[in-house]
Amino acid sequence: TLPRHLVVFAKAPRLGRVKSRLAADIGAVAAWAFYRRTLAAVLRRLEGRDGWRSWLAVTPDDWVSRRALRPAGWHVIPQGKGDLGQRMDRAMRALPPGPVVIVGTDIPGLSRRHVEAAFDALGRHAAVFGPAVDGGYWLVGHRRRPRLPRLFENVRWSTEHALADTLANLGSGQAAFRLETLEDVDD
């Protein structure tokens, strides 16, 4: 059996650089504190142990070498340059063989149960999505065999079209499973 890979996409917890839309409502320090707490909680909750290999993809890349972002049980990797789609595509293609599931850090309802359900779905479907209330998604996964399409090209990020655009990139013969709809915290 091929190993399963969970990738958590995160920004380095820098004051004034995280949760900017939330910061407009509650202030930069409160948004930064919220982000640090939710990042730590997600990493604690989703660390793989025996279920999957745990990867933390961090931006900016120079934070990969910092000790503060070396949580136990996690392999820390850079996201690299480009928009969100280019960075997620890079992670999906660079990891060792096996299905990949990518999540963010701003979904309070995210649990191990969701990740397990996503990997289970990849046993029967080419792709899996966790739809968000706003038309985007909080989880994306692909089994990456026999081929991985260019899922993230021409996606209108941060709009109500993000999920539909990504689904359109699947192509024929690639069935997608949808998990439950959850809310992400943007503002």
Side-chain angles (χ1 to χ4, degrees), residues 55 72-74 79 97 103 130 135-136:
W55 303 86
W74 290 83
Q79 289 182 20
V103 298

Side-chain angles (χ1 to χ4, degrees), residues 28-144:
V29 172
W32 172 74
F34 168 81
Y35 183 78
R36 288 178 53 95
R37 282 192 310 273
T38 57
L39 173 60
V42 165
L43 296 179
R44 258 191 324 273
R45 203 174 322 138
L46 299 183
E47 195 270 313
R49 293 179 220 99
D50 296 329
W52 50 77
R53 290 184 183 169
S54 304
W55 303 86
L56 175 60
V58 179
T59 189
D61 293 352
D62 64 344
W63 276 68
V64 169
S65 61
R66 298 196 184 195
R67 245 181 234 164
L69 281 178
R70 293 245 171 244
W74 290 83
H75 305 281
V76 183
I77 58 173
Q79 289 182 20
K81 303 281 184 223
D83 68 18
L84 178 61
Q86 292 167 322
R87 293 176 303 182
M88 288 195 301
D89 185 72
R90 185 177 302 111
M92 278 218 180
R93 293 180 190 285
L95 292 178
V100 173
V101 168
I102 298 174
V103 298
T105 58
D106 56 356
I107 309 96
L110 178 61
S111 71
R112 289 185 68 81
R113 171 182 63 85
H114 294 107
V115 176
E116 289 164 354
F119 281 123
D120 287 347
L122 290 175
R124 302 176 310 280
H125 301 83
V128 61
F129 292 88
V133 172
D134 62 8
Y137 46 92
W138 51 269
L139 178 148
V140 57
H142 201 281
R143 65 175 159 209
R144 304 189 303 163

